[in-house]
Amino acid sequence: TLSITAVSLTSTGAIEVLNGSLAVSAASTSGHLHVAAGATFGLANVTLESGSTFSGTGTVAMNGTTTIAANVTITLPVVLTGTVTGAGPLIVAAPMTWTSGAVSLAGGLEIAVGHTLTIGSANDHYVTNGVLRNRGTVAWTAGRILFSGTSTVSNEAGAAWDAQGDHTITWDGSGGPKTFTNLGTLRKSAGPGTLSITAVSLTNAGAIEVLNG
């Protein structure tokens, strides 16, 4: 790992991670980030500004607090274990894995058409005063989804939200409206038990498929 600690990094040029990983204690970038296959760029305490662009096939790890200051599209695989926050919106046009942490983007986190968000691990996954918008596919394999504050999940027309088990969507006891809107396909494809949606308002104008349980 190349570590930059106790120093604030500002980049308007290009950062290339060709091997291993790069970790910073604080950074702001509006330039280009290239991450080669097998390499990782840690976005803990990083602010992505307007103009940020990406290339390569490596991974960006949201392993702390990642701030999206403007409209940003990430075209590299993303792993979320921390908190992604800010004005946004953030569009992910690559595979994304959400193992823990929170989506707290006012402008929303959007999964682009043709791409998959995998929600996995037994951890809780929070949507906190933000929007999660799926235009591709959500493969929900494990863990709860908890709504906190005023939060919305929208499964858009043509999109699929696939609950691959006996999972739960609920809230954390906080105030504010909480809504799940299905305009595409909401599917329970596995598990002998129940898919539970509690304390969250479900609006369906698409299709709901219960294939198991």
Side-chain angles (χ1 to χ4, degrees):
T1 301
L2 169 62
S3 298
I4 302 175
T5 60
V7 174
S8 181
L9 171 67
T10 299
S11 176
T12 58
I15 296 174
E16 297 181 349
V17 185
L18 304 182
N19 287 280
S21 60
L22 174 61
V24 298
S25 59
S28 174
T29 176
S30 59
H32 185 73
L33 174 61
H34 176 81
V35 185
T40 301
F41 184 85
L43 291 179
N45 307 312
V46 173
T47 298
L48 298 178
E49 306 279 359
S50 177
S52 298
T53 57
F54 304 84
S55 64
T57 57
T59 301
V60 289
M62 295 181 175
N63 53 341
T65 297
T66 303
T67 302
I68 310 299
N71 191 331
V72 172
T73 297
I74 295 181
T75 54
L76 292 169
V78 176
V79 176
L80 174 60
T81 58
T83 297
V84 56
T85 188
L90 172 62
I91 299 170
V92 178
M96 180 173 179
T97 302
W98 185 9
T99 58
S100 61
V103 174
S104 184
L105 283 162
L109 167 64
E110 178 176 312
I111 306 304
V113 173
H115 297 283
T116 298
L117 167 64
T118 300
I119 303 174
S121 86
N123 297 309
D124 288 337
H125 308 78
Y126 285 85
V127 181
T128 304
N129 290 315
V131 179
L132 172 58
R133 185 175 297 108
N134 176 43
R135 297 188 187 277
T137 299
V138 171
W140 183 13
T141 63
R144 299 189 302 172
I145 297 175
L146 272 71
F147 284 59
S148 180
T150 300
S151 300
T152 298
V153 169
S154 183
N155 192 46
E156 300 292 331
W161 188 290
D162 186 13
Q164 299 173 9
D166 305 327
H167 304 323
T168 298
I169 296 174
T170 188
W171 69 321
D172 66 349
S174 59
K178 297 158 180 63
T179 59
F180 188 111
T181 299
N182 179 50
L183 304 173
T185 299
L186 174 60
R187 177 185 301 120
K188 184 181 188 293
S189 64
T194 301
L195 170 62
S196 298
I197 302 175
T198 59
V200 173
S201 177
L202 172 65
T203 299
N204 179 52
I208 295 177
E209 299 178 352
V210 182
L211 305 183
N212 285 277

